[in-house]
Amino acid sequence: MISLLLFIAFVSYIFYEMYWKRRAYPPGPIPLPLAGNMISFGLSEPPGYEIFDRWRKEYGPIYTYWMGPFPLVVIADYSLIKSTIIKDGEKYADRFITDMTPLYRGGEYGVVESSGDNWREMRRFTLHTLRDFGMGKNLMEEKVMSEVRALLDRTSQKEVSPQWEIDIAVGSIINNVLFGYRFDEDKQSQFRELKELLGEHMKTVTTLSAGLAFTLPWTRSFPFVREAKDKIFYIRDRLFSFFRQQIDAKRQTIDYDSEENEDLVECFLKEQKKHENEPDNGFYSSKQLVNLLLDLWVAGMETTSNTLTWGIAYILNNKEVQKRIHSELDSVIKSDRLITLADKNHLPYLNATINEIQRMANLLPTNLFRKTTEEVQVMGYKIPKGTGICPQIATVLYDEKLFPSPLSFKPERFLNDDGSLKKVEELVPFSIGKRQCPGEGLARMELFLFLANIFQRFELSSTSLPSIKKSFGFTVQCSPYKCEFKERR
Ligand code: HEM
């Protein structure tokens, strides 16, 4: 009798896991009990595009996969993304998180992983602050140009690792925007240490152990899951302690009466003072600040610096592209002066190359997950409020219908017949909708100013061509390579 009951319970459980809980969602791969489809990622070809592409071919432009007990709905077609996530932006504005996120952050703080009023206020503050640096004296372009000049001087006539040189430059820009100082010679060991921590964090969060820690709380006592969780929290503590040191130093020197702001921490502390009589400083608490700094420091560094390193790798692998960039620079600029943003609209081939670098680098194999703020209807499916949902931009950027021969590096696909720059709305590396990247303006400025000035001054070459094979990671990183920066004049 007991064995019959156990058998019925087992069959009912399997029926529930494999059919019943899935019946209302768009179809997708069959989830295993408990782990869902997490194991499929470990078995798929790195860095993960392939499995999303396979699922789209098998299940269509919208499908569901399961991370442990959570259904995640993927929208993998540009026009469907447009008619949902752009058209009804507010319905897809929240961020999907698990119970681990508030544990990690000490509450609902920051911009990347928060929702509702907290997210709205932090996003507004971030956009406002970044925009203010870009206006008036054009402080932002000055900050970027001073790192461009330093990189050109460091690399001239040398064979170097572009990743490291670009990391220091991009790291210095975001550090300067946030805290008002750069990583010069005597601060480079501090930067190396922080960068290594960040690299470890990026690697750990994409492991199966971390996936289990995030989605199945009861697995957190298993030794390998606990180890991953402890590592993630240890790195958080180290980064938070670095941010707190910077905030304390700023508190010693800040002039609350001055209208000028040197960096984002200064802007935040002034807001904090304005709200000092409100509970939790009206969103401007010190916990909020360390979490916001974590978001901007991480998002502002890895993405841009990995894109630039991929960019040089693709150009080294496509010699005719470097020749065409040089010939455009020579015919338009006609001298060896530095290139500024004022030159941007006159260099269509370079801009097309940057577009193609972003498309090919395809930095996030899976985009961040949003959460529906109310029930939505997509292609006849009723998706409940609170479901995780993802505009899968990596699949769009490699969609062969939109970008024929998607794995070939062809800047010409972004040019019109008359040589002018073609506007291609499906090129969405910064994502779309209400959660579109708020650092886009800064990132675009960096990509243009670094690449334009590197090729204006140097001819790049390498004895062995850099590998363009990608490995797993939250943002895909290039394998290490070296190249020579030879003066052109
Ligand atoms: C080439 C460089 C970059 C790329 C490709 C990139 C891409 C992205 C993508 C795909 C998202 C996810 C959007 C979504 O949820 O659908 C995102 C979000 C975000 N990015 Fe970027 N990003 C870049 C540079 C930057 C920079 C320089 C900063 C900061 C200064 C930044 C800050 C952020 C933040 C704060 C979010 C979260 C926005 C929110 O949840 O409201 N990013 N980015």
Side-chain angles (χ1 to χ4, degrees), residues 42 106 110 120-121 128 131 174 200 273 284 321 358 369 398:
R120 234 174 285 282
E121 183 65 21
H128 209 266
R131 205 175 299 139
I174 192 70
E200 268 306 300
K273 197 164 175 57
Y284 288 87
V321 173
Q358 286 211 269
F369 272 82
Y398 282 176

Side-chain angles (χ1 to χ4, degrees), residues 77 79 91 117 123-124 263 303 349 408 449 484:
D77 170 84
S79 34
K91 296 183 186 168
D117 290 344
R123 189 171 164 101
R124 190 200 59 76
D263 51 58
T303 47
Y349 186 76
S408 304
L449 292 174
E484 194 186 346

